[in-house]
Amino acid sequence: MTANAPLLELRDVVPTFEESGLMPAPYNLRIMPGECVVIDCRDENRAAVFADLCTGMISLSQGSIRFMGLDWTTLRDRQLNALRGRIGRISRSGSWLNLFGTHLNIMLPHLYHTNDPLDNVVEHATELGRRFGFPGLPITAPDRLSAADQARAACVRAFLGRPDLLVLEDISDVLPEENVLPFFEMMTAARDRGCGVLWFVRSAVAWREYRKAVNLHMRLLDEGLFPMRVM
């Protein structure tokens, strides 16, 4: 990735309708290192699909998507996995594996992509867990946690490993109020070291307190992606 280059860039992207269900209209988006882009989308399924699109998981009819200067469509599996390992994601669906404890669900994605010693990963994950209100890391299966604890665990998983890009679906309705400030603080700290943020929200309430720190506000509708003015 060269200096002053976009961290994530969509250029006249038209996703295949069969895979995405998104309007076959060109999508354009640019996120520079350290920037936060908020996308207002009332439809959580559409938001999740667009997040998949940005992370190179949906085929394109035209256009290109580059992350850290690399075009998703030109990479092989090993390169794809390595690059996606630089993305921290909060999925509203959770994407939990109930065969494993929550602590393993939190750490396994990062362990798959890193050479960091296990003890270091455990230490960092535990520290993040405490930041979000856990006494350590929950070891029970995710489906045995409350919705609030699943939201906390999702935050820990997303911020683990110092990601270069955060793709955050809206969990503001289940994240406890006392965890909102740590969420903002962690997001700001990540941006200070150059991490970009793509944040999907379903209402103005979710990002009202962070509004002044947002670089770009957009709206994802049936007709496409449209820029809005940040108030």
Side-chain angles (χ1 to χ4, degrees), residues 191-206:
R191 293 177 62 192
D192 286 345
R193 59 174 174 76
C195 178
V197 179
L198 180 60
W199 186 12
F200 297 89
V201 301
R202 294 182 298 152
S203 72
V205 174

Side-chain angles (χ1 to χ4, degrees), residues 132-201:
F132 284 102
F134 290 121
L137 289 179
I139 62 174
T140 57
D143 62 351
R144 302 191 66 180
L145 295 180
S146 66
D149 280 346
Q150 286 190 10
R152 291 186 179 103
C155 291
V156 175
R157 182 171 60 180
F159 286 105
L160 183 62
R162 296 171 61 85
D164 292 299
L165 176 67
L166 289 165
V167 179
L168 310 173
E169 295 175 41
D170 192 358
I171 55 170
S172 60
D173 57 327
V174 289
L175 187 66
E177 185 176 351
E178 64 268 22
N179 297 129
V180 173
L181 181 58
F183 174 79
F184 288 154
E185 289 175 343
M186 292 296 299
M187 188 160 62
T188 300
R191 293 177 62 192
D192 286 345
R193 59 174 174 76
C195 178
V197 179
L198 180 60
W199 186 12
F200 297 89
V201 301

Side-chain angles (χ1 to χ4, degrees), residues 122-133:
V122 172
E123 181 180 359
H124 188 205
T126 303
E127 177 188 342
L128 287 171
R130 293 193 180 106
R131 290 289 303 272
F132 284 102

Side-chain angles (χ1 to χ4, degrees), residues 100-111:
F100 303 105
T102 304
H103 63 307
L104 292 176
N105 272 270
I106 288 171
M107 293 187 293
L108 280 175
H110 181 55
L111 288 170

Side-chain angles (χ1 to χ4, degrees), residues 73-100:
T73 61
T74 66
L75 305 178
R76 297 183 177 180
D77 286 347
R78 186 173 181 180
Q79 296 169 307
L80 287 170
N81 289 332
L83 205 58
R84 290 190 184 120
R86 305 310 311 147
I87 299 174
R89 182 165 175 179
I90 291 179
S91 171
R92 186 163 177 83
S93 65
S95 301
W96 301 110
L97 296 174
N98 292 311
L99 291 173
F100 303 105

